[in-house]
């Protein structure tokens, strides 16, 4: 509003705000539109406060300053015209602001050697069309027509630039193309000329003009990249993509890199998305989210992050931290939570004092680099300038290496220079803000970076060469006055090129007209002028669009529709269906780009045969089922040593809960006296202590602890009830938790295979026999699963116990084997007799006898597997038994199960 109103009403800056507010108030009578009156009250208060702040500091609003500067320059030249030439060039054909028009009029009329250079004057429109342009704001030359009228000039007063007639450029467009576009885009007053059918006149104008329609934005980018790459086959050719869609520009830039062409986007890259800007944003998010795994790793693995260490050594320690504490459930908040998670990870069997000390040193260094920027709580409020200073100090310390200081790495290259300049201007502005909540700092930082741009081509970040000199990606403004050998006009879809016409939430169209603002459609006219000039900027022009963007269908730009409608109406004897734009083949090229050279050939079912020396000599009771159901998965895990990593910041699953329950029960049993029941109250105290210790050792975040604690409490009631019953009458002499066991399973010569187990609990009974318990947080296996080998853990543990393989447990028969299903839910626990399930499956006379017989069967089956796979030369075939499926599918992608299984099913169906 400040730039486009009639400035003649105002004589001083302080009158500008009051003047336009009064004009706004007069647009709607006070008796109407109460909400408009409320809006005016709000605007008046805002403007008065803003003007008071500016006046206090001796400043001017940037819009007012620009308007006054233009007026002052026009007045100075009118009073004292300069004798030297004054040329105003690069004036857009879409019109300009009134204050600039005053200056242009002074240059063209008052200066003795002044000139105004216009780009692309419309000399082809008929007089009646030219006269109708002021009332057709969507026409490409409407703004030009209005500008000439305000300058007091006619179209005939504009002379062609001297020398243009004598020099024919190599990239001259077909002579009739401007006339064709002008005819297709005529205002309503010129539409009757469409009735004249002259296909032979317009057909030569279509030379070099093509249309590209892709399926979606990515396909469009691939096709455009191929068109630009093809143009470079001519060593003298220059090619460009002209588009207002920055998403398409980024896509095309990425696709050009695929073809070995580095290209610069003239619009630049948002400062917050550059490497240095993203590093600052990520640090703020990391601290605001209390060092959660994903934001933490995004900072620690950023190319700029080194923490004053050698970059290679830094990454090695970061990966060790990731494996130890950041994969799986999220640790507790803050650096203290990370340290607790690391301590829990290296407790027990995973003890590695060297690795633990290295990770602790890494966390100490991280805390030292962050300084006082380690937390962003909701309160107390802090001055944003102080937050910025602490943030930048932390970023510079994290970016430092032994060879380079942090600022030198953080602000390196062109993008770093832009960032440094931008950040240097922030402290005075932030000092004007009041204190803010520290947790709002990441959002405030992103707002301060919004709108600033850096060069999109970052040669300083690892590229030695610059952008390609003959390929450009340009916005509409940057493409003016330029010519090429091939130009692609991208994203010709409604709401993108042109943007949708929206008068905004403040004024209706009549109100904008009465206030002196241009019509919303005037923007379409300016963009349409860019369309016309870009289409005539190269002999080879491709008009490109996508049928879908962001998953939504699109509508072709109105100019494409008008051109095609006009051409379709040019039917004649040689062209019964009219004319049409040529179809670019680039979309078909892009569709073939990633297609395989020939038909796909499914792979065979993998069946590796490693040498005997490479085969493991240990077999756990839990891996017997895996070796039986999927030998290839066993091979991948135990021969190749491959194991899947837990997801980063994963939601806690049944395995995490199961480990916690096992830790609680093991701690509880260790606290109980041997063979005695201490009483319910004492047992409850012992169980609660074990539960709290296990929760603390797990290093879980508070929310997860709050979810698990009541479940553990319900499990505790069930366990104490079972323990009291089991220990009644002194039946149990001693209970051993987490008992390690191993025994030689099979031997050939000097080679032998050891069967290993880790029993959750073994009870030494008063009659000299044993009772084995297995804890389950999920469903207990069925009788067919136990008897069929899919869940032979308890029978194999009974076989190991029979041979005296468990440490601290005498050789004895197993009297019973039970599953305790511990969920902590509505039914906190259930007891399942494994021997009874086997008895029903085998139809044996008794549960104890069925268990012992199953132990013999499972032992013999495990011996046979060891003889065939571990001490023999049998191939590790993937999924050899269709009826057996291993738990999980961690190795199906390595076995390429989907390929050969699908081919096998197709062959069976064909047979």
């Amino acid at each position: 509003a400040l730039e486009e109103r009639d400035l003649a009403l105002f004589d001083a800056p302080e009158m500008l705000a009051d003047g336009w507010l009064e004009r706004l108030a007069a647009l709607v009578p006070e008796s109407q539109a109460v909400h408009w009156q409320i809006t005016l009250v709000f605007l008046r208060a805002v403007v008065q406060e803003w003007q008071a702040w500016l006046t206090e500091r001796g400043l001017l609003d940037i819009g007012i300053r620009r308007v006054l500067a233009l007026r002052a320059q026009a007045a100075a030249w009118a009073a004292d015209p300069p004798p030297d030439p004054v040329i105003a060039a690069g004036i857009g054909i879409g019109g300009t602001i009134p204050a600039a028009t005053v200056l242009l009029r002074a240059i063209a009329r008052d200066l003795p050697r002044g000139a105004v250079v216009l780009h692309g004057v419309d000399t082809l429109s008929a007089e009646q069309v030219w006269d109708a342009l002021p009332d057709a704001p969507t026409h490409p030359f409407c703004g030009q027509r209005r500008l000439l009228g305000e300058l007091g000039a006619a179209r005939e007063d504009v002379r062609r630039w001297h020398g243009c007639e004598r020099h024919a450029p190599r990239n001259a467009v077909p002579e009739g193309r401007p006339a064709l576009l002008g005819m297709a885009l005529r205002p309503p007053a010129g539409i009757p000329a469409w009735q004249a059918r002259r296909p032979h006149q317009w057909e030569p104008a279509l030379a070099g003009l093509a249309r590209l329609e892709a399926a979606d934005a990515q396909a469009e980018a691939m096709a455009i990249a191929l068109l630009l790459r093809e143009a470079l086959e001519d060593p003298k050719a220059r090619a460009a993509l002209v588009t207002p869609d920055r998403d398409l520009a980024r896509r095309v830039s990425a696709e050009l890199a695929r073809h070995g062409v580095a290209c610069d986007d003239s619009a630049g890259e948002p400062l917050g998305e550059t490497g240095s800007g993203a590093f600052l944003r990520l640090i703020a998010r990391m601290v605001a989210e209390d060092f959660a795994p994903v934001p933490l790793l995004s900072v620690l693995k950023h190319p700029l992050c080194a923490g004053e260490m050698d970059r290679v050594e830094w990454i090695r320690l970061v990966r060790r931290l990731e494996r130890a504490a950041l994969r799986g459930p999220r640790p507790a908040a803050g650096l203290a939570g990370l340290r607790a998670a690391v301590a829990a990870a290296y407790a027990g069997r995973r003890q590695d004092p060297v690795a633990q000390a290295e990770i602790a040193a890494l966390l100490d260094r991280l805390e030292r680099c962050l300084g006082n920027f380690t937390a962003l709580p909701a309160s107390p409020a802090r001055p944003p300038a102080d937050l910025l200073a602490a943030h930048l100090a932390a970023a510079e310390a994290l970016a430092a290496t032994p060879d380079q200081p942090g600022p030198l790495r953080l602000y390196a290259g062109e993008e770093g220079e832009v960032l440094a300049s931008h950040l240097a201007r922030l402290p005075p502005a932030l000092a004007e803000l009041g204190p803010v909540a520290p947790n709002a700092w990441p959002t405030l930082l992103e707002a301060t970076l919004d709108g600033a741009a850096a060069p999109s081509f970052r040669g300083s970040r690892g590229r030695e060469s610059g952008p390609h000199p003959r390929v450009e990606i340009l916005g509409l403004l940057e493409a003016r006055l330029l010519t090429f050998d091939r130009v692609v006009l991208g994203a010709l879809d409604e709401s993108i090129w042109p943007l949708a016409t929206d008068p905004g939430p403040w004024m209706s169209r009549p109100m904008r007209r009465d206030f002196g603002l241009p019509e919303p459609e005037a923007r379409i006219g300016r963009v349409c002028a860019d369309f016309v000039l870009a289409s005539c900027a190269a002999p080879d022009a491709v008009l490109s669009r996508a049928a879908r963007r962001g998953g939504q269908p699109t509508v072709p730009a109105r100019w494409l529709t008008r051109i095609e409608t006009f051409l379709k109406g040019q039917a004649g004897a040689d062209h019964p269906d009219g004319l049409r734009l040529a179809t670019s083949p680039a979309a078909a090229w892009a569709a073939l780009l990633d297609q395989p050279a020939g038909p796909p050939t499914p792979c065979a079912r993998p069946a590796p045969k490693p040498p005997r020396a490479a085969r493991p000599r240990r077999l756990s009771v839990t891996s017997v089922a895996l070796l039986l159901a999927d030998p290839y998965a066993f091979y991948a895990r135990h021969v190749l040593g491959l194991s899947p990593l837990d997801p980063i910041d994963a939601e806690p699953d049944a395995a995490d809960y199961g480990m916690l329950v096992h830790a609680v029960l093991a701690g509880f049993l260790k606290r109980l006296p041997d063979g005695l029941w201490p009483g319910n109250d004492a047992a409850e105290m012992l169980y609660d202590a074990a539960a709290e210790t296990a929760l603390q050792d797990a290093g879980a975040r508070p929310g997860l602890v709050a979810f698990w604690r009541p479940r553990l409490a319900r499990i505790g009631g069930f366990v104490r009830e079972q323990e009291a019953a089991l220990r009644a009458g002194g039946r149990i002499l001693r209970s051993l938790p987490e008992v390690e066991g191993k025994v030689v399973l099979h031997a050939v010569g000097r080679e032998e295979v050891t069967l290993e187990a880790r029993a959750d609990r073994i009870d030494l009974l008063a009659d000299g026999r044993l009772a084995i318990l297995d804890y389950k947080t999920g469903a207990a296996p069925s009788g067919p699963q136990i008897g069929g080998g899919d869940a032979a853990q308890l029978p194999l543990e009974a076989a190991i116990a029979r041979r005296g393989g468990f440490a601290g447990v005498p050789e004895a028969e197993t009297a019973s084997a039970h599953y305790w299903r511990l969920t902590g839910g509505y039914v906190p626990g259930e007891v399942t007799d494994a021997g009874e399930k086997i008895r029903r499956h085998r139809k044996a006379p008794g549960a104890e006898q069925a268990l012992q017989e199953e132990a013999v069967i499972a032992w013999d089956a495990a011996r046979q597997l060891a003889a065939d796979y571990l001490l023999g030369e049998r191939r590790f075939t993937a999924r050899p038994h269709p009826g057996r499926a291993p738990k999980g599918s961690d190795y199906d992608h390595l076995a390429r199960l989907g390929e050969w299984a699908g081919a096998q099913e197709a062959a069976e169906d064909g047979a």
Side-chain angles (χ1 to χ4, degrees), residues 106-488:
I107 295 174
R109 296 293 184 183
D110 300 336
L111 301 189
R113 303 181 65 184
V116 176
V117 181
L118 301 178
H119 180 200
V121 176
D122 182 14
T123 60
L124 302 175
S125 297
E127 291 301 327
Q128 63 272 23
V129 176
W130 178 258
D131 294 337
L133 290 186
D135 299 325
T138 59
H139 191 273
F141 293 104
C142 172
Q144 182 191 92
R145 174 67 176 85
R146 291 177 176 178
L147 176 61
L148 290 176
E150 293 174 356
L151 294 179
R155 182 170 51 174
E156 293 75 16
D157 295 333
V158 181
R159 293 176 294 173
R160 189 171 177 82
W161 190 262
H162 60 87
C164 289
E165 296 82 357
R166 299 192 302 270
H167 302 285
R170 67 182 298 270
N171 50 10
V173 301
E175 185 175 353
R177 186 185 296 177
L180 171 63
L181 296 177
M183 179 63 71
L185 300 176
R186 281 195 166 200
I191 292 299
W194 283 23
Q195 298 176 0
R197 299 183 177 182
R198 299 189 296 272
H200 296 289
Q201 175 186 349
W202 301 118
E203 187 175 13
L206 294 176
L209 194 61
R211 172 171 177 166
L212 168 65
E213 181 156 354
D216 53 32
Q218 182 58 30
E220 182 186 14
M222 295 173 63
I224 292 174
L226 288 172
L227 286 171
L228 299 177
R229 175 61 184 86
E230 185 198 27
L232 296 181
E233 292 298 307
D234 182 351
K236 296 182 180 180
R238 295 177 60 248
L241 165 65
V242 179
T243 180
D245 187 1
R246 302 335 304 165
D247 175 70
L248 177 63
R250 286 189 290 269
R251 290 175 184 266
V252 172
S253 179
E255 288 297 323
L256 283 172
R258 176 181 186 179
H259 303 296
V261 178
C263 187
D264 188 9
D265 183 0
S266 65
E269 185 176 14
L271 196 56
E273 296 181 11
T274 62
S276 301
F279 186 54
L280 293 177
R281 292 169 49 237
L282 291 172
I283 292 175
R285 289 296 174 186
M286 173 188 71
V287 178
E289 296 183 27
D290 291 326
F291 300 89
V294 172
L296 174 64
L297 286 176
S298 66
V299 171
L300 299 184
K301 290 189 175 183
H302 193 280
L304 286 174
C305 192
E308 302 174 349
M309 295 175 58
D310 178 75
R311 172 70 181 170
V312 175
E313 178 66 11
W314 174 267
I315 288 297
R316 185 184 72 84
L317 297 181
V318 169
R319 288 172 178 166
R320 178 162 283 181
L321 170 65
E322 175 186 344
R323 293 286 297 273
L326 302 180
R327 289 189 173 271
R330 177 184 297 188
L335 292 172
L338 289 176
R339 291 188 173 95
V342 171
Y346 284 100
R349 291 184 298 170
R350 290 188 58 187
Q351 287 182 353
D352 187 346
V354 175
Q356 188 172 356
E358 287 182 338
I359 296 177
L362 174 70
L363 295 177
D364 292 341
R365 183 176 293 272
L366 174 62
E367 185 173 17
R368 184 169 63 254
C369 290
L370 292 175
N372 62 348
F373 195 71
T374 56
L376 291 174
S379 62
R382 294 177 59 185
D386 293 350
L387 290 171
L388 175 64
H391 187 177
L392 295 183
E396 292 172 0
L398 286 175
T401 65
D403 301 328
Q404 286 184 302
L408 191 60
R409 298 186 70 234
L410 185 61
Y411 308 122
E414 294 184 20
E415 66 176 51
E417 294 178 6
V418 176
L419 178 64
S421 300
H422 182 78
L423 294 175
R425 293 191 295 267
L426 287 182
L430 293 178
E432 299 294 336
L433 296 178
V436 299
N439 61 359
W441 172 246
T443 303
L444 179 58
L445 173 68
E446 293 185 3
T448 61
L449 297 176
D450 190 25
S456 61
F457 184 85
R458 300 183 297 277
S460 61
R461 296 295 186 201
R463 294 182 183 175
E464 297 180 359
S465 60
H468 199 286
R470 295 188 289 121
V471 178
E472 297 181 74
I473 298 177
L474 304 171
L476 303 186
L477 180 62
E478 295 83 4
R480 293 176 184 172
L481 305 177
L482 299 180
T483 58
F484 309 93
D485 293 279
R486 170 174 287 176
V487 65
V488 181

Side-chain angles (χ1 to χ4, degrees), residues 626-762:
L626 180 63
L627 182 58
L628 181 63
D630 192 353
Y632 180 85
F634 181 93
Y635 162 80
R637 176 183 288 274
H638 297 286
V639 178
L640 299 182
L642 303 177
S643 59
L645 294 175
D646 293 330
I648 296 175
D649 199 3
E651 290 295 330
D653 56 13
D656 300 305
Y657 181 60
M659 289 189 293
L660 177 66
V661 171
H662 279 69
V664 172
L665 294 185
F668 177 54
L669 285 181
K670 291 176 181 178
R671 288 171 169 80
L672 286 177
D674 290 340
L676 299 176
W677 182 244
N680 290 333
D681 293 340
E684 183 176 1
M685 294 176 60
L686 295 176
Y687 180 88
D688 291 344
E692 290 302 318
T693 300
L695 286 172
Q696 183 177 0
D697 292 342
R701 62 182 185 272
L704 193 56
V705 172
F707 175 76
W708 278 342
R709 183 176 282 116
R711 287 180 170 269
L712 295 178
R714 289 190 288 270
I715 290 174
F718 168 80
V719 169
R720 291 191 298 273
E721 180 181 343
Q722 296 298 320
E723 288 290 347
L726 290 175
R727 294 171 182 266
R731 179 172 176 266
I732 297 177
L733 299 179
R734 188 181 179 191
S735 295
L736 302 176
E738 304 293 332
V739 188
E740 301 281 354
K742 62 180 179 178
V743 67
V744 175
L745 177 64
H746 187 62
V748 176
R750 295 185 177 181
E751 296 180 312
E752 60 184 26
V753 175
T754 303
L755 181 65
E756 299 179 344
R758 184 182 178 89
D760 291 342
R761 171 176 173 176
I762 297 179

